[in-house]
Every structure is written in C-alpha cells, then in structure tokens.
C-alpha cells in the first residue's frame, strides 16, 4: 500500500476525483455531502493496475479548513495536486503547495480536473511552473474528468509509477502514529486512525500515548476496512485501544513505541521561508496531525527557537511548518535541529547558539551531539532520534572522546591537589570529585580512575595501600625501629607526640595499615595480632589476663584492649570465669 494526500483549491474536484477512482465516498459528514464541500479529512482506497493499493487522504480546500488539510498531509509521503481546467491556479492552490513544500514532500502528481469543461493546457502549464519551484520539482500531469471518466486509466497508471518511485518504508523503526481521527465503536471502545509512516503495529502491542504516563494496548487493527493481526508502514490504519476513554486522545495526539521519543516543548529549528527576523512573535506549528501554538525567538538569519504550548514527540530531522492563522499565510517550513536545546540565560548566549546551529543540517549525528553535549545517556540520544553505535564510558553514559580525556586529566590534578592540601587523608572522596568535575553520576568518576590511582573505601588516592605522607611514614619507621623487638609494648601518649604521631597522623597510618589501633593513643605494629595468637596458643588453656600479660611482656593498658580485639575477631573466646582460650 502507498498513501497519497490530495491538495488543491476548494471546489476543484478533489473529492469527485477520489470518488471516481475508488468508488468510495470520501466525504464522511452529511453536511459535507449537503454542501458539496469537504470540511474534514476523508479516506478511500483502490487497487491499481499493478495489483498494489493506493489509499487517499482527501483534504478540504477551503481556506477556513487549512488546519484540517495540514493534519492529513503532515504524515503522508506523496501528494496528488488537483487543479481545475476551467479555473486554473487559485489562492488555495498556492497555499496548499506552499504547505507541501514546507513539509518537504518530494513525490507527487498533478491532476487537471474538469477537462471536459475547458482546455486543460493553460492550467497544466501554469501549475507545472508553480510546482517545479518547490520540493516536488517536475511532476507528471494527467488531464481527467471525474464526471465522464476521461483520463482515469492514465491517472491510475501514473499513480502506479509514483508508487514505484517512493523510498521503501522502514518497518523496523519505532512507531509514531499521528492521530487524525478518534471515535467510539459500540462494543469495541475507542478507535483512532492515522497514517503509519514507519514501523510495524501488532495486536497486543503496548504503546505510549504522547504526553501521558499510562501505557495503552492495541486491542485490534484494521487497514482498508479489514481486520488484521498486524500492519506495516506505509499504511492507513485504524487502531482499537483497550480500556482507553475516548476523551483521552484526539487529533494531534500520537501513539508511540515506548521509550523511543523525546517529549519536548522547546526546539531549535532551521527555517525555510520568511526571514527569521520578520516572523511574528506567535505562530502555529504544524507537524504530523498536530497544530500547536508556538512563541518564536529568532536566533540567526534562518534559525529560531520555538516554545510550544504543549510538548510533542519530536526527533532531530523532523519536518514541520509554521503558519500565521490570522493572515492565512504559511511562514515557512522548518527542519528540527535540536529537541533538547540549552538555556539562553547569559548575555551573548543567543548569538553563540546561532553559530552552533549554523553548522547543523538536521541530520542526526552522533559525533556532533557528543561534541556539543559532552556527556549524555545513550537512551536520551535514542529518544532524540540519534542512532547510537558507540560504547558507553560507564553505565549507559556516552562521552565525547576529547572531553573524556580532559576529565581524566582533571581528575588526576584534583586528586593531587587534595593530597597536597590534606596530606593525612587517604584520598579524595568520590562525591567531592564528582562535584569538582561537575559530573552527573558517581559511576563516571569511578570509570575515570586509572593507575596509579585507585578507589578504596569511597576515596580516590594512590594505588599503594601503604602510601603515606613522608612525615607519617618516618614516624612509623621510628616506631618499628624502637618497638620491633617488643611488639606488644605501645608508646605512651607523650612518646607518640615525640615520634610525630598526633591523632591525625595516627589515623592516616591506621587507614594505610601501617599501625594497629587498640584504643585511643594505644597503637601497635600491624602484625601484632598474629604474633599474639601464636604466643597465647603456647599457654596452658584456659589462661587468665595476668598470664597473657606476662607472656606478651606488656602492660594491662595494652593487654586488655588487645584481648578484647582478639575476642571480637574470634581468635580467642572469653569464658564465664573471665579466663580465655585460643580458638583453633
């Protein structure tokens, strides 16, 4: 199937032509049939000579219903431009063509209707000139009469050729189904329709309703009037949603593959049309089937920032158009450059941003996004429409390579600075490093640590567990020299001071494993515990505190906390009579 939207001035025979081609009535409303004028979108389809199917989105031509027209054209890849032979090129012909051009529609046909009433030559020549200057370029033209049927076989053949030119749809892409109609079917519930431009829908799929927190589930699918288990792009589809109230969604909403789209109310875009400086402060943005008021802030000659009245699921590279509804004027097409732009709070930020945008072309670019954003989660880029094919640096974080190298160098500098300013601490806390480097996640700090640095006990410092500031290392060496042959004798408080071991120095030595703290101001060399167990195991079991003190050649000041530490570590066990045994 391929989908084509009609376009053209009111009363030029768009609906008549669709009716003649398909045998179906595209005007759904009784008022439309009574007035002979299309007011809202109509839908019909037919089989082409090749056996393929074409589905038509028939749009209104009156200037009052241009928003309805744009809702139908927005998601459709090709257009059938209709011009009446007896009236020729008209104002809505021009506005509809401007809309197609703004949306970047590149495939189409020209049908010159009412060829039974006037020579189609002049109208054809004028329309071709107008169309050739747009994104459609040179298009085939067919003169037809919906009343007599003249030219319909040629138009069918031309539609077949157009279908063969269209690029193959991407059925593996995420689904973004812009809703152009919603209604309730008795016994089935809420049904929405739209043009499936990419991806695949299946009965039972869980989707996300744009702007809502709750998932919705596909209860049933119809395409071309038939129930189907699945539908693949490009197709007109009707989706029956399970348990979703009718008032929850309508035209301009979208059904999405969960987690694959960024909902944004702020975008930077490139404008093709009126100069950015000439745009009014408020316009309407038309994208998909949505029409949303926006506030316009010019940045560069052809770049603007748009503040949307409500968030939309937009991607980098999306095409949309800006329209001034008061003047019935298409201000121009836009190409989305950034769906998560930075704030412009500082003086000169807008000018700097314009320079950045001048280098963007609206094509998703992983390397460029990383260069501009420096650090970003892979999922965030995917939701912006940027394919991710790089390995994360930590978790799901991606980084610009140059920025990541710079962060590694800065981390080493910060750790060295901290060591100079706090020589007795065993390293710089990870959270303090995260703040100094302005990183959003501590896993990034951990990933940046490289030898000779290491992480120990939540701090980043020298890789050697025994690394100590030289004054502390010297004091420990003096303790070892003085007490090495008396391992269970602890320096008195005044001797600790003489050795250069105050509370902070003792703490640093204990953290580095260079000293063993038994109690305040009671420290031994770190191998004292194992030596004590060997000595105590040689005593008759059980043994008393006094026997232990004598065997260890130490004082009660050391023996009591030493035995208590051995009890806690399970090397000894205290008995009810306060004697102890060595646990083997």
């Amino acid at each position: 199937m391929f989908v084509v939207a009609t376009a053209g001035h009111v009363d030029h025979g768009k609906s008549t032509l669709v009716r003649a081609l398909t045998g179906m009535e595209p005007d759904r409303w009784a008022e439309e049939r009574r007035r002979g004028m299309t007011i809202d979108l109509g839908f019909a389809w037919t089989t082409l000579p090749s056996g393929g199917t074409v589905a038509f989105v028939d749009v209104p031509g009156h200037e009052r219903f241009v928003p309805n027209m744009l809702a139908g054209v927005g998601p459709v890849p090709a257009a059938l431009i209709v011009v009446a032979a007896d009236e020729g090129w008209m104002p809505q012909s021009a506005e509809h063509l401007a809309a197609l051009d703004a949306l970047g529609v590149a495939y189409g046909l020209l049908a010159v209707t009412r060829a039974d009433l006037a020579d189609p030559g002049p109208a054809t020549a004028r329309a071709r000139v107008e169309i050739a200057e747009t994104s459609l370029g040179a298009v085939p033209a067919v003169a037809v009469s919906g009343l007599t049927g003249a030219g319909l076989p040629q138009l069918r053949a031309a539609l077949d050729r157009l279908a063969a030119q269209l690029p193959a749809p991407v059925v593996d892409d995420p689904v973004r189904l812009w809703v152009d109609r919603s209604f309730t079917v008795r016994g089935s519930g809420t049904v929405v329709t739209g043009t499936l431009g990419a991806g695949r829908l299946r009965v039972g799929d869980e989707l996300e309703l744009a702007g809502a927190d709750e998932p919705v589930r596909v209860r049933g699918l119809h395409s071309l009037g038939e129930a189907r288990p699945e539908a693949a792009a490009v197709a007109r589809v009707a989706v029956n949603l399970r348990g979703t109230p009718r008032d929850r969604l309508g035209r301009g909403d979208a059904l999405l593959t969960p987690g694959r789209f960024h909902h944004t109310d702020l975008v930077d875009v490139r404008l093709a049309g009126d100069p950015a400086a000439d745009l009014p402060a408020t316009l309407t943005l038309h994208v998909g089937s949505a029409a949303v008021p926006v506030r316009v802030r010019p940045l560069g000659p052809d770049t603007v920032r748009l503040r949307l009245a409500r968030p939309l699921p937009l991607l980098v590279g999306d095409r949309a158009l800006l329209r001034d509804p008061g003047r019935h004027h298409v201000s121009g097409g836009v190409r989305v450059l950034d769906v998560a732009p930075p704030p412009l709070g500082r003086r000169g930020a807008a000018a700097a941003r314009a320079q950045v945008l001048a280098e963007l072309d609206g094509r998703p670019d992983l390397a460029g996004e990383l260069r501009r954003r420096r650090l970003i989660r892979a999922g965030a880029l995917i939701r912006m429409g940027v394919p991710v094919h790089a390995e994360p640096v930590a978790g799901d974080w991606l980084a610009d390579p140059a920025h990541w190298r710079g962060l590694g160098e800065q981390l080493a500098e910060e750790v060295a600075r901290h060591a100079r300013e706090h020589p007795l601490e065993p390293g710089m806390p990870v959270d303090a490093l995260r703040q100094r480097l302005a990183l959003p996640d501590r896993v990034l700090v951990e990933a940046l640590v490289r030898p000779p640095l290491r992480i120990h006990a939540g701090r980043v410092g020298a890789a050697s567990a025994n690394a100590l500031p030289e004054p502390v290392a010297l004091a420990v060496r003096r303790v070892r020299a003085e007490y090495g042959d008396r391992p269970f004798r602890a320096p008195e408080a005044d001797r600790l001071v003489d050795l250069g071991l105050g509370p902070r120095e003792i703490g640093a030595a204990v953290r580095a494993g260079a000293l063993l703290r038994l109690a305040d101001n009671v420290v031994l060399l770190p191998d004292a515990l194992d030596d004590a167990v060997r000595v105590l195991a040689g005593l008759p079991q059980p043994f008393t505190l006094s026997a232990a003190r004598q065997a260890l050649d130490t004082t009660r000041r050391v023996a009591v906390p030493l035995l208590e530490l051995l009890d806690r570590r399970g090397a000894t066990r205290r008995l009810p009579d306060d004697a102890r045994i060595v646990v083997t």
Side-chain angles (χ1 to χ4, degrees), residues 274-437:
D274 296 346
D278 294 343
L279 295 179
T282 58
L283 290 169
T284 298
L285 178 73
H286 293 267
V287 57
S289 62
V292 178
V294 295
R295 293 192 62 82
V296 179
R297 178 175 181 176
L299 295 176
D302 64 347
T303 53
V304 297
R305 174 161 292 189
L306 303 178
R307 172 75 67 177
L308 284 63
R310 66 179 177 92
L312 291 178
L314 300 180
L315 301 173
V316 172
D318 276 345
R319 298 296 295 261
L321 68 84
L322 290 171
R323 183 171 181 267
D324 186 341
R327 295 190 296 150
H328 302 288
H329 172 66
V330 174
S331 298
V334 299
R335 174 70 68 92
V336 175
L337 303 178
D338 194 340
V339 295
L344 301 176
R346 300 193 307 270
R347 181 183 297 274
R353 181 62 176 166
Q355 292 180 354
V356 172
L357 296 178
E359 301 175 357
L360 305 184
D361 59 7
R363 287 181 291 187
D365 172 25
L366 176 61
E369 291 292 342
L370 292 179
R371 188 168 57 253
R372 289 184 292 274
R373 300 181 187 279
R374 297 188 171 188
L375 283 168
I376 189 170
R377 293 186 183 275
L381 282 177
I382 290 171
R383 288 190 294 274
M384 295 177 191
V386 180
V388 172
H389 46 75
E391 289 296 321
V393 295
D396 65 341
W397 286 98
L398 299 172
D400 173 61
H403 180 59
W404 188 248
R405 288 193 297 271
L407 285 172
E409 295 169 359
Q410 186 181 353
L411 179 139
E413 293 170 359
E414 290 291 341
V415 172
R417 180 192 58 78
H418 186 273
R420 290 192 300 272
E421 296 176 358
H422 306 278
L424 300 182
E425 293 188 9
M428 187 171 183
V430 170
D431 283 334
L433 262 175
R434 183 185 65 79
Q435 294 175 10
R436 290 299 295 264
L437 299 179

Side-chain angles (χ1 to χ4, degrees), residues 14-306:
K14 296 185 295 298
S15 298
T16 299
L17 184 59
V18 171
R19 196 178 299 117
L21 284 168
T22 66
M24 303 174 68
E25 175 57 68
D27 288 336
R28 297 178 289 109
W29 296 4
E31 182 182 357
E32 292 178 307
R33 294 190 288 273
R34 177 178 59 80
R35 296 172 61 180
M37 181 177 71
T38 300
I39 297 173
D40 205 352
L41 302 178
F43 310 99
W45 57 89
T46 190
T47 302
L48 295 171
S50 66
T53 301
V54 58
F56 294 95
V57 179
D58 188 35
V59 307
H62 196 283
E63 67 177 4
R64 292 196 330 228
F65 306 120
V66 168
N68 291 352
M69 174 266 180
L70 293 173
V73 170
V76 174
L80 177 62
I81 302 169
V82 178
V83 178
D86 57 338
E87 289 191 354
W89 196 254
M90 297 290 284
Q92 286 312 117
S93 306
E95 185 169 12
H96 283 203
L97 180 61
L100 295 173
D101 183 39
L103 292 170
V105 177
Y107 300 90
L109 288 173
L110 169 63
V112 181
T113 58
R114 302 213 289 255
D116 56 319
L117 301 180
D119 177 8
T124 301
R126 169 71 186 282
R128 274 183 152 168
V129 170
E130 298 286 347
I131 296 170
E133 297 177 355
T134 70
S135 59
L136 287 155
V139 298
V142 181
V144 296
S145 169
L147 183 62
T148 69
L152 290 182
Q154 291 82 0
L155 182 56
R156 291 177 183 275
L159 286 166
D160 244 340
R161 291 191 294 271
L162 176 62
Q165 296 173 6
L166 294 176
V170 185
V171 297
D172 295 328
D173 268 8
V175 168
R176 177 173 52 173
L177 180 70
W178 292 101
V179 174
D180 53 38
R181 193 173 163 228
S182 64
F183 50 91
T184 301
V185 174
R186 186 182 298 274
S188 295
T190 299
V191 176
V192 299
T193 67
T195 299
L196 182 63
R200 187 187 302 271
L201 282 173
R202 297 179 178 87
V203 173
D205 278 355
E206 184 175 276
L207 300 174
E208 177 181 295
L209 176 59
D213 295 331
E214 302 172 12
V216 296
R217 191 169 294 279
V218 178
R219 178 180 182 181
L221 276 174
H222 279 71
S223 184
L224 305 184
E226 297 182 2
R228 301 175 187 268
E230 68 173 55
V234 172
R236 284 293 304 173
V237 294
V239 186
N240 181 201
L241 299 175
R242 186 187 305 276
T244 304
R246 161 69 181 81
D247 59 4
R248 286 283 304 281
L249 74 174
R251 178 173 294 171
D253 288 323
L255 297 178
L256 312 169
T257 298
R260 293 300 301 273
F261 291 87
H262 180 71
H263 298 80
T264 181
D265 62 358
L266 191 69
V267 293
D268 287 346
V269 303
R270 172 156 288 114
L271 175 69
D274 296 346
D278 294 343
L279 295 179
T282 58
L283 290 169
T284 298
L285 178 73
H286 293 267
V287 57
S289 62
V292 178
V294 295
R295 293 192 62 82
V296 179
R297 178 175 181 176
L299 295 176
D302 64 347
T303 53
V304 297
R305 174 161 292 189
L306 303 178

